[in-house]
Amino acid sequence: MEYKIDERTITLMISGELDHHTLRDTSRELGQIIDIYLPKKLIFDMRAVRFMDSSGIALIIKAIRRMTELSGEVVLRNVPPSPMKIFAMAGISRYVTVEEGGKAV
Amino acid sequence: MSKPCDKLKLEFESKSVNESFARAAVGAFAARLDPSLEELNDIKTSVSEAVTNCIVHAYPNGIGPIYITVKISGNILDIRIKDCGRGIENVEQAREPMFTTGGEERSGMGFTVMESFCDGLKVKSKPGVGTTVTLTKRIKSRR
Ligand SMILES: Nc1ncnc2c1ncn2[C@@H]1O[C@H](COP(=O)(O)OP(=O)(O)OP(=O)(O)O)[C@@H](O)[C@H]1O
Ligand SMILES: [Mg+2]
């Protein structure tokens, strides 16, 4: 997974297809990145996601759990329409900030 | 002109690497109904949910067969996803949002996604025998 670090903010570039098969590696990498850098803010940049099913919800929930332990926050940025439909169904915007082009929506 | 009527049958093993293949195959077959991008994604996502359930829940400790049948009649897509796995004790409870027996790795939203992304969802299951999920999707004419 590609990511950028700016002080205590980490931006994860999520790409490709997010399903149960790809979740295992992505989820493990996510855990490692959080453990190493102990960020205050974790941004998921999802512009390059081509497919996502409910596995994506489990991934974000894991991130929220870990970031809550660190008193940090989770941001979803540039979520394409189809993944957004799934996040909306799960009511994810109650727990994270959803941004588009850097602006909250 | 006669209405399109056609059928696709697939059988594959319950390996997670097959999830992307299954939804792509059904999506490619559905493409002849000229679905919108959103409709196509609804179909792929729902198939992904049902197939993942077979892999994760039906055969938790091994590999078993997954059968998909897709029927096209007119503008209606009928997708049946069947396993011969563990089965579901209480289907009504399993279909509730957030209900999961999958622990932290799952969110319990699979059936909820299928239900809201399709026009119909039927679940038939017998413990120890297997589960059949039937998804119905109506493709709107864009002409
Ligand atoms: N094919 C199946 N065989 C056996 N049990 C199943 C099957 N499909 C679903 N279930 C049961 O129904 C429950 C709910 O399924 P659902 O897809 O809604 O959520 P999930 O798979 O647990 O989580 P998610 O889909 O969000 O990853 C499952 O936890 C499982 O107990
Ligand atoms: Mg599921």
Side-chain angles (χ1 to χ4, degrees):
Chain A
M1 195 191 314
E2 261 183 71
Y3 57 96
K4 287 184 288 205
I5 310 163
D6 179 16
E7 310 238 319
R8 303 284 299 276
T9 298
I10 296 190
T11 306
L12 304 164
M13 308 301 293
I14 310 291
S15 62
E17 311 209 345
L18 214 49
D19 63 11
H20 158 255
H21 180 68
T22 57
L23 180 77
R24 188 156 302 173
D25 286 346
T26 309
S27 177
R28 185 168 29 79
E29 268 187 80
L30 171 74
Q32 286 168 348
I33 292 168
I34 295 176
D35 287 345
I36 294 170
Y37 299 105
L38 304 173
K40 278 282 165 214
K41 191 169 178 178
L42 189 64
I43 302 171
F44 286 82
D45 191 322
M46 310 206 43
R47 77 184 72 194
V49 173
R50 280 183 290 115
F51 175 85
M52 189 189 98
D53 65 18
S54 69
S55 306
I57 304 172
L59 181 74
I60 301 303
I61 289 176
K62 174 178 173 166
I64 295 169
R65 281 214 189 94
R66 292 289 286 113
M67 290 306 290
T68 304
E69 287 167 11
L70 300 174
S71 309
E73 62 165 324
V74 176
V75 173
L76 301 184
R77 183 174 286 170
N78 301 322
V79 184
S82 306
M84 200 56 229
K85 235 170 119 176
I86 299 218
F87 284 140
M89 193 174 299
I92 211 100
S93 57
R94 277 176 289 169
Y95 312 103
V96 300
T97 309
V98 181
E99 288 181 359
E100 211 172 283
K103 282 202 206 88
V105 290
Chain B
M1 207 176 78
S2 69
K3 285 186 172 180
C5 177
D6 213 344
K7 195 165 164 179
L8 167 79
K9 273 186 166 188
L10 291 173
E11 179 186 341
F12 54 95
E13 295 203 312
S14 63
K15 296 176 180 159
S16 66
V17 68
N18 287 328
E19 287 159 11
S20 62
F21 156 74
R23 62 178 177 260
V26 176
F29 186 67
R32 68 190 59 186
L33 290 180
D34 195 22
S36 67
L37 220 57
E38 184 175 8
E39 286 168 333
L40 191 59
N41 193 75
D42 291 350
I43 294 163
K44 284 188 185 174
T45 309
S46 302
V47 169
S48 196
E49 296 296 346
V51 169
T52 300
N53 279 352
C54 301
I55 293 166
V56 176
H57 305 296
Y59 306 111
N61 308 311
I63 301 292
I66 299 174
Y67 306 92
I68 299 187
T69 314
V70 189
K71 275 187 214 151
I72 290 177
S73 27
N75 64 337
I76 309 273
L77 208 60
D78 223 56
I79 309 166
R80 216 177 60 186
I81 296 129
K82 179 177 172 239
D83 66 66
C84 307
R86 199 181 53 181
I88 304 172
E89 292 278 352
N90 185 340
V91 170
E92 206 183 319
Q93 181 186 43
R95 288 180 64 154
E96 277 171 25
M98 319 288 272
F99 177 86
T100 182
T101 57
E104 289 230 331
E105 289 297 307
R106 320 289 339 150
S107 62
M109 292 300 287
F111 281 132
T112 310
V113 168
M114 291 182 243
E115 194 158 350
S116 57
F117 281 25
C118 292
D119 299 294
L121 166 67
K122 263 190 281 177
V123 184
K124 259 179 64 183
S125 190
K126 209 169 167 188
V129 177
T131 303
T132 304
V133 168
T134 309
L135 303 163
T136 311
K137 181 79 176 168
R138 178 178 294 111
I139 306 300
K140 293 188 191 77
S141 172
R142 287 187 289 145
R143 253 158 269 160

